[in-house]
């Protein structure tokens, strides 16, 4: 398709599925966790990346497991699996959840001291931390509360597009190019994040498993 024109459209997390279902976008390439619930509305590519929910907080705030969230104020971005995770522990820990529209707003609340932490997938937190002017006073903390398999999000039932995407992703995996791209962007002086065992397994055994 020599005349194919690619148009990039920024969006917020809560817009992803509605825009795909409306036909306003053809593929969503952000931090999309493949979940069984989302599979009812959209299709997913093979898993590209694996991460999990942790916390961005000020250096003095240490979070180690669910119990350390007792009566904390935690920000989450609307429409994310981090929001669902915090909702599950909210009652038992008397957690106060502050829902924000964007990740940048969540970071700002942490920087200002308005919340104790911002919950999000850790790979996104590391990138946000690197871009923060107050990064020396912040850190990523806590154990992974979830395992999040990332994949491209596609319109439900578009078999032809799904086939092209799957063929391309599998080629990247088998050729070693996906691992090279990982090292280029995530295993650098600015972001030293070694590839996880989960991601290595996803490359070795491509899959589309969704989490509950």
């Amino acid at each position: 398709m020599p005349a194919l024109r690619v148009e990039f459209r920024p969006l917020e997390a809560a817009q992803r599925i509605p825009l795909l279902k409306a036909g306003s976008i053809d593929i969503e390439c952000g931090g999309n966790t493949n979940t069984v619930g989302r599979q009812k509305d959209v299709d997913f590519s093979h898993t590209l990346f694996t991460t999990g929910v942790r916390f961005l907080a000020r250096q003095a705030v240490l979070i180690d497991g669910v119990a350390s969230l007792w009566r904390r104020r935690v920000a989450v971005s609307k429409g994310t699996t981090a929001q669902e995770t915090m909702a599950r522990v909210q009652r038992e820990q008397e957690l106060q959840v502050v829902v924000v529209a964007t990740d940048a707003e969540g970071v700002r609340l942490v920087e200002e001291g308005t919340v104790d932490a911002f919950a999000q997938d850790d790979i996104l937190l590391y990138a946000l931390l690197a871009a923060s002017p107050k990064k020396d006073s912040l850190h990523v903390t806590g154990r992974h509360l979830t395992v999040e398999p990332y994949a491209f999000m596609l319109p439900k039932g578009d078999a032809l597009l799904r086939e092209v995407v799957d063929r391309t992703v599998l080629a990247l995996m088998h050729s070693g190019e996906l691992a090279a791209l990982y090292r280029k962007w995530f295993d650098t002086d600015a972001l030293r994040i070694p590839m996880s065992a989960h991601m290595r397994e996803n490359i070795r055994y491509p899959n589309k498993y969704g989490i509950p």
Side-chain angles (χ1 to χ4, degrees), residues 59-173:
Q59 287 283 357
V61 177
L62 299 177
I63 297 174
D64 185 20
V66 172
S68 61
L69 295 172
W70 176 253
R71 292 187 176 178
R72 298 277 195 184
R73 284 173 55 84
V74 177
V76 293
S77 288
K78 183 178 180 180
T80 62
T81 50
Q83 181 183 8
E84 298 171 8
T85 300
M86 290 301 98
R88 286 196 294 269
V89 302
Q90 184 174 14
R91 181 175 299 176
E92 64 182 82
Q93 299 298 334
E94 295 187 16
L95 184 70
Q96 184 175 350
V97 176
V98 179
V99 180
V100 296
T102 67
D103 288 353
E105 185 179 352
V107 174
R108 179 178 59 79
L109 294 181
V110 173
E111 292 171 342
E112 295 173 349
T114 305
V115 299
D116 296 302
F118 172 54
Q120 182 55 287
D121 297 342
D122 70 348
I123 190 62
L124 303 180
L125 294 179
Y126 281 118
L128 292 164
L129 176 62
S132 171
K134 299 184 179 180
K135 60 184 178 183
D136 291 339
S137 63
L138 307 174
H139 69 154
V140 176
T141 182
R143 306 171 189 172
H144 284 108
L145 297 188
T146 61
V147 175
E148 310 278 337
Y150 278 7
F152 294 132
M153 196 181 285
L154 307 164
K156 189 73 175 177
D158 191 334
L160 293 176
L161 177 59
R162 186 175 66 244
E163 181 183 348
V164 171
V165 172
D166 283 347
R167 186 168 63 244
T168 303
V169 170
L170 289 175
L172 289 171
M173 291 179 173

Side-chain angles (χ1 to χ4, degrees), residues 13-67:
Q15 297 177 296
R16 294 174 293 185
I17 292 177
L19 290 180
L20 276 170
K21 294 178 73 173
S24 301
I25 58 174
D26 299 302
I27 182 171
E28 214 294 316
C29 304
N32 302 315
T33 300
N34 184 351
T35 72
V36 173
R38 288 173 175 172
Q39 288 175 2
K40 299 175 183 177
D41 296 305
V42 296
D43 287 338
F44 288 90
S45 70
H46 288 88
T47 299
L48 297 161
F49 193 90
T50 307
T51 182
V53 172
R54 295 176 69 196
F55 302 90
L56 181 71
R58 296 181 303 282
Q59 287 283 357
V61 177
L62 299 177
I63 297 174
D64 185 20
V66 172

